Amino acid sequence: FFYSVDVFLQFKRAKKLQKTYDLIILDPPSFSRNSEGKTFSVKKDMKSLITGSCELLNPNGVLFISSNLTLWNSPLLQRYVAEVLVEMKMNVEWIKLPIIPDDFLGCESPLSACCFKRLD
């Protein structure tokens, strides 16, 4: 399923309905404001995105996280995610992502991404 809703509302709905997922893809904007004026910022809300997603991730489920926040590259993003996972005491196996193609390397802000499989 693909949901186009406020992710935090979806987390609540999924928990209420006891839904879990085998694959979750997080690709949030660096910053946004919804129609009610509520703001979202990756810098302030990424931890909540990760923890909310992990709570809904099945054992052996995969979580893919990407960000276009210019402060992060893939190693920094993975380090940040790893710190959150340690706090959650979640056992994971990191999935190595493919190498970025040469024609993408010239971009001003290359994709920062990481991916893991939940083991517990």
Side-chain angles (χ1 to χ4, degrees):
F1 294 96
F2 290 88
Y3 300 103
S4 180
V5 295
D6 180 310
V7 70
F8 299 110
L9 292 175
Q10 182 58 31
F11 289 161
K12 288 178 186 177
R13 287 182 194 143
K15 286 179 194 176
K16 183 178 179 180
L17 297 171
Q18 299 181 340
K19 290 198 176 267
T20 57
Y21 303 93
D22 294 322
L23 172 66
I24 298 174
I25 300 170
L26 292 179
D27 185 20
S30 295
F31 179 85
S32 69
R33 183 180 315 273
N34 70 13
S35 59
E36 290 88 39
K38 181 181 173 189
T39 61
F40 171 88
S41 165
V42 165
K43 287 191 281 188
K44 120 177 126 57
D45 296 312
M46 182 60 96
K47 183 176 180 179
S48 297
L49 279 177
I50 296 165
T51 56
S53 296
C54 288
E55 290 171 355
L56 300 174
L57 193 62
N58 287 324
N60 293 314
V62 173
L63 179 58
F64 175 86
I65 304 167
S66 68
S67 174
N68 61 1
L69 183 66
T70 56
L71 300 174
W72 280 336
N73 58 26
S74 289
L76 288 174
L77 177 61
Q78 184 169 334
R79 191 173 314 134
Y80 178 83
V81 172
E83 290 171 6
V84 174
L85 296 173
V86 166
E87 284 180 32
M88 296 181 69
K89 298 180 173 135
M90 182 170 285
N91 189 17
V92 303
E93 176 185 324
W94 291 98
I95 297 171
K96 186 174 179 171
L97 297 174
I99 303 226
I100 297 173
D102 289 340
D103 62 340
F104 191 75
L105 291 175
C107 294
E108 291 180 27
S109 58
L111 176 70
S112 298
C114 62
C115 189
F116 65 84
K117 177 171 71 168
R118 180 178 180 168
L119 297 178
D120 53 358

